[in-house]
Amino acid sequence: MWLYLSEEPSFTDFSNEKALFWHETNFPYATWGPNAIRHHHIVYDPSKILSQNATIYAHTFFSRSGYTPDPNDPEYDPWSFSKSHEIVKYLPKPKVDKRKSLLGGGNDDQSSLDLLATSETDINEEDVAPVFVPYWKPNITINLVEDFSRYSRNALPPHIADGNNKLIIDHRTGNYFPMIFYNEFWLLRDKLVAVNETVKELKLDLELSPIGLTKWQLFLQMDQSFQIHRSYGSMAEGEADELKRVFLEGNPYLLIITMFVSVLHTIFDVLAFKNDIQFWNKNKSMEGLSAKSVVVNFICQVIVFLYLLDNETSWMIIASTGVGCCIEFWKIGKAMHIEIDRSHWFPLLRFRDRESYARNKTKEYDDLAMKYLSYLLFFLVICFSIYSLMYERHKSWYSWILSSCTSCVYMFGFIMMCPQLFINYKLKSVAHLPWRQMTYKFLNTIIDDLFAFVIKMPALHRLSVFRDDVIFLIYLYQRWIYPVDKSRINEFGFGGEPSKEVVPGSSQDAAGASGSSEQLSTVSDKLESKKSK
């Protein structure tokens, strides 16, 4: 095996000894053992990359032992094969941070420099071609694929018919050469080294080893799957690296448990969504339910949706959040009467309480709870917004409002669950709640507790998981101390067994009268027999 580094996509200058960086002999093919894995370490001078903006290629040649791949050498091996691969990758330069201090006067000089660069470069950013920066790949794994399969010449599999892994066929004999695979599956984006004036030398770790056919096809299939998801917009640019990082840095047993629990989390999410829709679709009474919490949940969902739009999130996440907004608005229609007011020059929506909600104590308790909780929520929102305005940077005033509201929804959203607790306390009953849906959500919260210890996440998100536990535990405590009244209207809008009203003079009345007379006569007979005894 010979490894050459050059600036050309193809290599023919075998007489240049400076271009040869690695040479190995007696390397076995399709033989697994200690001698089948070779390692090498080199140091490269980055001056050519900086001065000439060049791309460096690695050219790997294989031939039979005792021969060379040089056509001008008397010991040239006509059965030698090779493959080239770039080890310098040009990626778009990271975008300049558009955020700025809305109050002016950054806290450090770097902030002012960023603002100056932003004002100078963002004039016609869409019309300017993106700037690419060279990145050095710090390690290369060269695999020889162990493949003895027999393929049809006119029906090659797609992964070897075209592209970078195209099968090299000797047309004289109909045989194919072993496949050379530059394995970069575990090379993450943050491991790449940006080549600039501060870099004096570039280190390169090399590995030469065989790879099984199944494992090679698995790597190709996963890379292709990641590319398809990125093209559809369902996966961001760095999400594939984060998934690989879980496999690299995580405990295998803990990873298996996490995958199993993730499946349960998905199942419980689907069941909770199904029962939530079923509950509100069949609900005929708002007695004991907080209508204002439904409205506030819709407002929170809209705030999160607008925040995702402002931050250029994946369209699949935006679409799912948009569907959630529609469902929350549909819930408002089930909890309140929605009317269209056409008396103004622009049609407006008017919301009116349902009779089952306004005619009892539910509305009074809901208004009272929301009144005091809104004072606390508004105070927290104002304090956090002022803190964000003073110490954080934002793209615009609109972004500041959205980010402040979203952060408050994220941190203090559990306050909106408290009015229902207050209503339950005042009514001394929890029979009106959708317990089936809440059970699935509580199970999901327990799973989130596990993820809080397993997966790296912000501290605020970890706290938000445990605060939901407290709310659900209070719900469970209320269910325990308040007995269920079977005659109360249940979660589907129906009550217990109604008492049948008997119409005087009807057949039921006659049957009931005759039945009662028979019972009275039976009782009187028993009393007479006791007296005679």
Side-chain angles (χ1 to χ4, degrees), residues 8 35 74 137 167 191 302 332 479 497 530:
E8 302 295 332
N35 195 34
K137 300 177 182 178
L167 199 65
K191 301 298 182 182
V302 171
I332 296 178
R479 181 175 176 84
E497 292 293 333
K530 287 183 179 180

Side-chain angles (χ1 to χ4, degrees), residues 3-14:
L3 178 68
Y4 297 90
L5 297 183
S6 72
E7 303 172 15
E8 302 295 332
S10 59
F11 185 80
T12 57
D13 188 11
F14 293 95

Side-chain angles (χ1 to χ4, degrees), residues 54 111 149 153 155 170-171 189 192 242 414 418 445 491 510:
S111 300
S149 305
R153 184 185 296 269
D170 183 13
H171 297 284
R189 170 70 180 270
L192 300 179
E242 293 302 322
F414 73 101
C418 296
T445 304
E491 61 186 39

Side-chain angles (χ1 to χ4, degrees), residues 91-104:
L91 298 175
K93 186 178 180 180
K95 295 182 179 180
V96 179
D97 191 1
K98 298 181 180 179
R99 296 177 299 173
K100 59 184 178 180
S101 177
L102 299 179
L103 298 179

Side-chain angles (χ1 to χ4, degrees), residues 104-155:
N107 295 330
D108 52 10
D109 296 335
Q110 185 63 33
S111 300
S112 59
L113 291 176
D114 291 341
L115 294 176
L116 180 60
T118 303
S119 61
E120 292 178 353
T121 58
D122 289 351
I123 299 176
N124 293 318
E125 185 179 2
E126 298 180 355
D127 300 333
V128 178
V131 179
F132 289 87
V133 178
Y135 286 87
W136 177 264
K137 300 177 182 178
N139 56 73
I140 296 178
T141 301
I142 305 172
N143 294 136
L144 275 180
V145 182
E146 181 185 353
D147 185 12
F148 295 96
S149 305
R150 185 181 295 272
Y151 299 106
S152 175
R153 184 185 296 269
N154 298 324

